[in-house]
Amino acid sequence: MRAAVADAVDAPLRVRSVPRPSAGPGQVLVRVAASGLNPLDLKIHAGIAAHARQPLPAILGIDLAGTVAALGAGVTRFAVGDPVYGMAGGVGGLQGTLAEYAAVDARLLARAPANLSLRDAATLPLVVITAWEGLVDRARVHAGQRVLVLGGSGGVGQAAIQLARAFGAEVVATAGESRRARIEALGARFVDARSAALPEALAQAGDGHGYDLVYDTAGGASLDLGFATVKRFGHVVSSLGWGTHALAPLSFRAATYSGVFTLLPLLSGEGRAHHGEILDAAARRVEAGQLTPAVAAPRYTLDTVNEAYAALREGRAQGKLVVDVAP
């Protein structure tokens, strides 16, 4: 099969022929239609994502959508020909998704939303799972809450806005002014992340009462801002908890904090079935019109994968980038 291989740190990916995998016990062999790109792919390629534990050379790519080509022993949830999507590999020594076929733990997969193309479905797994684990699993988001999403224009941020609204919450989100229209189209109240008076602007957007739930997507000073804006007995979640933080602002509000590490099931083998469960539930939200992907317009293939990586690196894309793998 053909695959895009990263031979060394920051070296151009090379498309070459590699052995086609077989579905082992509990696995599904997926014929990959599309691979969704994520900023983490760039960090792994640059050698600055030790937490992903992906030694090079390797086939990169975390997200996929495709069709079931074969079933390993013990797999009963799927049939050959089923359209599936999932956060399937590319970390922890697992083969990534920039390849024509991937042997994937069946627990990580779900049937792709019926109303999406496989190309569009490939953009969802990592960002939806990351948002869901924070909002639903950790914070138990529910109707009537006021939710603040710090960094609402990125993939995780947009998923968080949509999921919070799907569960009946009111949402405020920060982003650059150029992303105002997208934030408002998702149904959130926009606050300019570059405002010189950002804490005051967030307080005003929250009617002076603070936020029941804060979802931070950036870490560092953004997470500190989350600690300062959550209301009493509220909850702060971060998908990027880097930095050194004072917990006093959180403690003084008797508020709580949770971290989200979406890679853990892939790295440890624990909790993989829950990824499939999240994607099953997310597919129903997509089919109900409550969750829509933002897919970048340029089309890339395995042969132009380095151009896709360059576009991701330079931040030129409006939406998630996808590599079309199947001819």
Side-chain angles (χ1 to χ4, degrees):
M1 69 174 182
R2 298 175 77 233
V5 181
D7 289 308
V9 170
D10 273 343
L13 303 182
R14 291 198 307 128
V15 179
R16 62 173 188 255
S17 180
V18 301
R20 173 175 158 176
S22 299
Q27 291 185 325
V28 169
L29 182 66
V30 179
R31 184 173 188 266
V32 181
S35 172
L37 301 189
N38 294 286
L40 179 58
D41 297 317
L42 294 182
K43 294 178 182 178
I44 294 171
H45 191 209
I48 56 173
H51 61 290
R53 305 177 202 164
Q54 184 72 338
L56 303 182
I59 298 169
L60 302 185
I62 297 169
D63 288 340
L64 65 69
T67 54
V68 174
L71 302 174
V75 177
T76 58
R77 290 177 56 228
F78 302 107
V80 171
D82 281 348
V84 293
Y85 74 139
M87 182 177 161
V91 300
L94 300 172
Q95 181 204 303
T97 59
L98 288 170
E100 291 179 325
Y101 290 88
V104 182
D105 187 327
R107 296 173 294 177
L108 296 169
L109 298 172
R111 285 177 177 79
N115 59 337
L116 290 186
S117 69
L118 290 175
R119 181 173 187 264
D120 288 357
T123 68
L124 291 174
L126 183 146
V127 297
V128 167
I129 292 170
T130 304
W132 189 288
E133 286 188 341
L135 288 171
V136 183
D137 293 346
R138 309 287 191 275
R140 307 297 182 190
V141 65
H142 57 80
Q145 289 185 311
R146 180 177 285 118
V147 175
L148 170 62
V149 178
L150 294 169
S153 64
V156 174
Q158 291 189 43
I161 290 170
Q162 294 180 80
L163 286 174
R165 283 183 45 77
F167 278 85
E170 172 191 338
V171 183
V172 174
T174 65
E177 181 63 36
S178 64
R179 302 300 176 93
R180 174 192 287 267
R182 177 60 179 168
I183 296 297
E184 292 178 345
L186 294 176
R189 182 171 178 179
F190 170 83
V191 173
D192 188 349
R194 296 178 177 84
S195 169
L198 182 55
E200 293 80 5
L202 288 175
Q204 182 177 1
D207 296 330
H209 300 297
Y211 298 89
D212 300 286
L213 167 58
V214 179
Y215 196 114
D216 162 61
T217 70
S222 176
L223 181 52
D224 289 329
L225 183 61
F227 291 164
T229 52
V230 69
K231 70 187 300 184
R232 291 176 183 171
F233 308 109
H235 194 79
V236 178
V237 179
S238 181
S239 59
L240 197 66
W242 304 110
T244 301
H245 305 276
L247 297 179
L250 192 71
S251 300
F252 291 157
R253 290 170 172 78
T256 52
Y257 168 78
S258 294
V260 175
F261 186 37
T262 313
L263 301 184
L264 190 58
L266 284 170
L267 298 175
S268 69
E270 298 178 18
R272 288 186 175 184
H274 189 49
H275 274 199
E277 292 165 356
I278 291 172
L279 292 176
D280 270 331
R284 292 192 292 272
R285 297 286 180 177
V286 173
E287 291 163 357
Q290 297 175 325
L291 181 61
T292 58
V295 186
R299 298 192 76 111
Y300 300 96
T301 66
L302 281 182
D303 293 315
T304 58
V305 66
N306 288 300
E307 296 175 26
Y309 266 51
L312 180 60
R313 189 177 297 111
E314 295 162 13
R316 290 189 267 117
Q318 295 290 319
K320 287 289 296 289
L321 287 163
V322 183
V323 175
D324 295 317
V325 177

